[in-house]
Amino acid sequence: MKFFIDTANLAQIKEANELGILDGVTTNPSLMAKEGIKGIDAVMQHYKTICEMVDGDISAEVISTDFDGIIEEGKKLVAIHRNIVVKVPMIKDGIKAIKWFTQNGIRTNCTLVFSAGQAILAAKAGASYVSPFIGRIDDSGWDGMELIHQLRQIFTIQGYKTEILAASIRNPNHIIKCAEAGADVCTCPLDSILGLLKHPLTDIGLAKFLEDAKKTA
Ligand code: E4P
């Protein structure tokens, strides 16, 4: 399973990248706004900076909701860097645009996916990635992980090449469950990635080893 970081915060991207386990970055307009990025030039520059920091796929989201607008924006985004993947919302014009991008060699990430039916449409249109939002499904009282299991089964049976990119991750356990369910990618906040490091027995064990090492010094 590939690890992406789900943020537009450069310090967090740098920290995750320095761990040596990062395969890419996903962003969205809310994450860009959170960093105070304002104006199209600043947004484009921010994507460029991220692309220069991480050697992997970088999802950059369109904000148009009509076919022509999505295509125009997507073309500008992919011109920034070869690693840009155009993030397109799961709407009717989004599906048409994903098909167009696919036919024109432009990679896409279909975002805001909450059901198997939506994911099937994205895969049929040729999306490179489909992003089920498991945390938001959990938040609304359903089981996000069930969707990952369902998509893994459908995509394998059908032979879809689209990668399942589990998104809206809330904690380290979500990451483990995604790996278990066969997600191709998990995009995570830094805290959830770092949470994987932690176990109290590791801390206790290390303290004991370091204490005993003094006896052998
Ligand atoms: C995915 O690409 C989205 O950016 C993200 O995972 C959404 O997560 P949230 O539900 O925490 O906003």
Side-chain angles (χ1 to χ4, degrees):
M1 185 173 77
K2 287 185 270 188
F3 270 55
F4 289 1
I5 187 166
D6 192 31
T7 185
N9 181 284
L10 298 182
Q12 292 187 11
I13 292 171
K14 182 170 183 287
E15 188 174 340
N17 202 28
E18 283 173 354
L19 265 181
I21 51 85
L22 199 62
D23 300 298
V25 181
T26 52
T27 61
N28 64 40
S30 306
L31 294 171
M32 295 294 271
K34 199 170 155 195
E35 298 310 313
I37 316 296
K38 209 168 162 51
I40 186 65
D41 290 344
V43 168
M44 300 299 253
Q45 179 54 50
H46 203 71
Y47 286 138
K48 188 164 185 279
T49 304
I50 295 173
C51 289
E52 284 163 359
M53 288 172 73
V54 178
D55 185 19
D57 286 352
I58 313 296
S59 286
E61 189 159 342
V62 298
I63 49 174
S64 299
T65 54
D66 64 293
F67 177 81
D68 291 338
I70 295 171
I71 300 299
E72 195 187 329
E73 260 191 78
K75 284 181 189 167
K76 287 182 187 153
L77 289 170
V78 291
I80 297 173
H81 194 277
R82 66 179 187 286
N83 286 348
I84 289 279
V85 175
V86 183
K87 206 169 175 190
V88 180
M90 165 42 73
I91 52 176
K92 198 196 255 184
D93 279 33
I95 290 298
K96 289 187 202 168
I98 288 170
K99 181 74 187 181
W100 187 92
F101 285 132
T102 305
Q103 287 169 331
N104 287 275
I106 293 173
R107 293 176 310 135
T108 53
N109 172 357
C110 184
T111 189
L112 290 166
V113 166
F114 295 90
S115 75
Q118 292 178 326
I120 288 170
L121 278 179
K124 286 290 292 174
S128 316
Y129 297 101
V130 62
S131 288
F133 277 33
I134 65 173
R136 292 193 197 185
I137 295 175
D138 286 357
D139 293 345
S140 59
W142 298 77
D143 183 357
M145 209 54 65
E146 257 181 36
L147 181 57
I148 303 297
H149 280 282
Q150 194 180 15
L151 295 189
R152 178 71 284 149
Q153 193 177 4
I154 293 170
F155 281 35
T156 302
I157 289 170
Q158 297 298 332
Y160 293 150
K161 292 193 176 66
T162 302
E163 293 188 62
I164 301 167
L165 194 170
S168 187
I169 296 296
R170 299 275 188 262
N171 53 59
N173 202 38
H174 267 160
I175 303 176
I176 297 163
K177 293 286 176 192
C178 283
E180 204 174 56
D184 298 293
V185 191
C186 201
T187 188
C188 326
L190 180 62
D191 281 355
S192 299
I193 297 174
L194 296 181
L196 294 173
L197 286 167
K198 291 181 197 154
H199 197 289
L201 291 178
T202 303
D203 299 339
I204 294 166
L206 181 60
K208 174 86 172 109
F209 284 156
L210 295 180
E211 191 54 37
D212 288 345
K214 288 182 196 157
K215 299 174 194 164
T216 66

